[in-house]
């Protein structure tokens, strides 16, 4: 399974970065399949990626608007998967940098992102993986509603960054 990310154009921001730890898939048709389900297959961030002990890849959504960028390739069991989940670093999920002079924000300062709810981004999508083949999975993450910090140097609350499209 070759996993890539793409983003639709967003205005008003210099960067919208998310720290991706892994992407996982599950054959269940239940959108509420538990995290403990043994059928989850995981493709981790490349070894050595990131600055923490856990490999993670910081992905600036604005760096690849309309062009897919490969996250990683991993081996999974050949079958049809119906749930896809992007696992974001729960300790430092990412950051947002508004464009300079874009309104109420504090100029072009980098703000830590805080998700409203879980940092895991899940959606229902059909991904058919064949035996001895390479199946591309392109994930589009929609930045959703981004709320300006309440005070200078505050954090940005992001409306859960829903996944909006798979190819």
């Amino acid at each position: 399974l070759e996993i890539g990310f793409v983003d639709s154009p967003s205005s008003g921001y210099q960067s919208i970065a998310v720290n991706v730890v892994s992407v996982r898939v599950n054959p269940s048709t239940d959108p509420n399949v538990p995290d403990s389900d043994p059928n989850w297959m995981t493709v981790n961030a490349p070894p050595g990626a990131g600055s923490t002990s856990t490999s993670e890849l910081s992905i600036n959504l604005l760096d690849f608007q309309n062009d897919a960028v490969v996250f990683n390739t991993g081996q999974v069991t050949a079958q049809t998967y119906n749930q896809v989940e992007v696992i974001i670093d729960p300790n430092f999920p990412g950051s947002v940098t508004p464009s300079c002079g874009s309104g109420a924000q504090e100029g072009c300062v980098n703000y830590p992102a805080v998700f409203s709810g879980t940092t895991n981004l899940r959606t229902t999508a059909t991904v058919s993986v064949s035996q001895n083949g390479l199946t591309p999975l392109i994930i589009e993450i929609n930045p959703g509603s981004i709320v300006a910090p309440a005070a200078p140097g505050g954090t940005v609350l992001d409306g859960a960054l829903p996944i909006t499209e798979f190819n």
Side-chain angles (χ1 to χ4, degrees), residues 144-166:
S145 60
I146 298 175
V147 180
T155 58
V156 175
L157 177 62
D158 191 344
L161 286 173
I163 298 173
T164 59
E165 183 178 311
F166 289 88

Side-chain angles (χ1 to χ4, degrees), residues 12-147:
Y13 299 94
Q14 288 185 25
S15 72
I16 301 171
V18 291
N19 297 324
V20 179
V21 174
S22 61
V23 174
R24 61 187 194 162
V25 292
N26 193 299
S28 176
T29 56
D30 178 3
N32 298 311
V33 61
D35 289 340
S36 60
D37 187 281
N39 295 311
W40 284 107
M41 300 292 293
T42 303
V43 176
N44 290 312
S51 59
T52 64
S53 60
T54 304
S55 290
E56 65 182 40
L57 204 55
S58 183
I59 297 173
N60 180 0
L61 300 177
L62 303 184
D63 282 348
F64 46 88
Q65 294 179 7
N66 300 318
D67 293 318
V69 173
V70 174
F71 167 71
N72 204 2
T73 301
Q75 193 169 31
V76 299
T77 303
Q79 64 182 320
T80 298
Y81 296 95
N82 297 295
Q83 303 300 318
V84 178
E85 186 171 53
V86 178
I87 308 298
I88 305 294
D89 181 340
N91 299 314
F92 185 63
S95 62
V96 176
T97 307
S99 296
C100 296
S102 63
Q105 290 97 352
E106 186 184 329
C108 36
V109 174
N110 188 2
Y111 297 98
V114 176
F115 283 38
S116 56
T118 180
T119 55
N120 295 350
L121 312 174
R122 187 184 296 185
T123 194
T124 299
T126 302
V127 180
S128 297
V129 176
S130 59
Q131 186 78 20
N132 298 321
L134 183 62
T135 302
L137 171 59
I138 307 301
I139 302 171
E140 179 181 350
I141 299 178
N142 180 354
S145 60
I146 298 175
V147 180

